[in-house]
């Protein structure tokens, strides 16, 4: 057998070994079964990708983008095979559901992870929240406005880290649309992460695209959120602007997400 053929066989076997170390559970309902069987909640499911035969691993909740009006639950390929679990969350969409209901879905999914992750070997201390655009917004709202997770007797401060990609920090434009407000009219009300700035929030890494290429004022919103968190006394918030990338800046941001989760995991486990 030629050397190149042997190498190809080895790589295939190695890839199979990597794949064998992980399991994927699809379409897990995170609401009670009686609710999840109704048509209204048919999107309220998650895909759960996790390492087997490993203990105390970190988990990333990933909320997809789409303006709260579109998109599907997903587990980004870059996040796989990293020694951690990834949860791709589906949620209801506007106009079939209002923005507050969608935020409630996000909170229910986070609560499912906190309540079940230890059954699979993961750690409740290492639950990270991320997502792109509308997904980043959902992560920001459920982390900063503590009322949504309090419904499940979970303190939002238990979240190990919030790492949104180009999340909207002012009131989401879909929420403004519900109120008859145009997308270019900035608003900060209770549906804005900025409204819920607080000193004791979990560690936060904000990531956006280039301010000149981003959607509307997305970089500036995040810069203002960072500034107000610092003024409030928050000690662990950073903002990264990815030069040369627009709103769809997920791929250069994924390595930053992995690095952040790995570094924070080490710090938490050392305590």
């Amino acid at each position: 057998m030629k050397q190149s053929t042997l190498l190809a066989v080895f790589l295939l076997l190695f890839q199979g070994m990597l794949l064998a170390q992980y399991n994927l559970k699809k379409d897990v309902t995170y609401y009670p079964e009686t609710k999840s069987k109704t048509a209204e909640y048919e999107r309220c499911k998650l895909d759960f990708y996790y390492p087997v035969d490993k203990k105390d691993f970190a988990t990333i909740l990933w909320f997809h983008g789409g303006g709260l009006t579109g998109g599907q639950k997903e587990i980004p390929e870059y996040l796989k095979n990293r020694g951690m679990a990834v949860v791709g969350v589906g949620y209801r969409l506007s106009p079939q559901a209002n923005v507050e209901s969608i935020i409630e879905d996000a909170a229910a999914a986070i609560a499912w992870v906190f309540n079940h992750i230890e059954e699979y070997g993961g750690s409740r201390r290492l639950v990270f929240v991320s997502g792109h655009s509308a997904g980043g917004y959902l992560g920001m709202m459920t982390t900063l406005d503590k009322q949504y997770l309090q419904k499940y007797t979970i303190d939002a401060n238990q979240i190990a880290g919030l790492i949104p990609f180009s999340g909207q920090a002012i009131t989401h434009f879909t929420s403004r649309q519900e109120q008859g407000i145009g997308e270019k009219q900035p608003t900060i009300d209770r549906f804005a992460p900025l409204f819920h700035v607080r000193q004791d929030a979990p560690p936060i890494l904000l990531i956006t695209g280039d301010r000149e290429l981003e959607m509307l004022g997305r970089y500036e919103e995040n810069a203002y959120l960072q500034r107000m968190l610092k003024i409030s006394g928050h000690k662990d918030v950073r903002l990264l602007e990815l030069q040369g990338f627009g709103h769809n800046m997920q791929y250069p941001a994924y390595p930053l997400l992995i690095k952040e989760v790995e570094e924070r995991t080490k710090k938490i486990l050392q305590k």
Side-chain angles (χ1 to χ4, degrees), residues 119-148:
E119 299 170 16
Y120 299 90
S123 172
R124 285 172 58 100
R125 298 170 63 200
L126 300 173
V127 176
F128 296 83
V129 175
S130 186
H132 175 246
S133 194
Y137 167 80
L138 292 175
M140 294 157 83
M141 283 298 301
T142 48
T143 302
L144 292 174
D145 187 351
K146 300 183 76 172
Q147 67 159 327
Y148 291 102

Side-chain angles (χ1 to χ4, degrees), residues 35-103:
K35 179 181 286 189
S36 63
K37 284 186 175 180
T38 65
E40 180 184 356
Y41 292 90
E42 63 183 355
R43 291 181 55 91
C44 296
K45 299 175 182 177
L46 55 84
D47 292 344
F48 178 35
Y49 177 88
Y50 63 96
V52 297
D53 300 325
K54 183 175 181 178
K55 296 297 183 183
D56 295 326
F57 52 79
T59 301
I60 299 173
L61 278 115
W62 179 261
F63 294 99
H64 69 81
L68 303 180
T69 62
Q72 299 289 337
K73 68 182 187 308
E74 60 176 348
I75 296 177
E77 285 296 322
Y78 190 93
L79 303 183
K80 293 181 178 180
N81 300 324
R82 303 286 176 176
M84 57 191 68
V86 186
V87 179
V89 182
Y91 48 84
R92 287 175 287 176
L93 298 174
S94 175
Q96 286 72 34
N98 61 28
V99 169
E100 184 161 28
S101 296
I102 299 170
I103 300 170

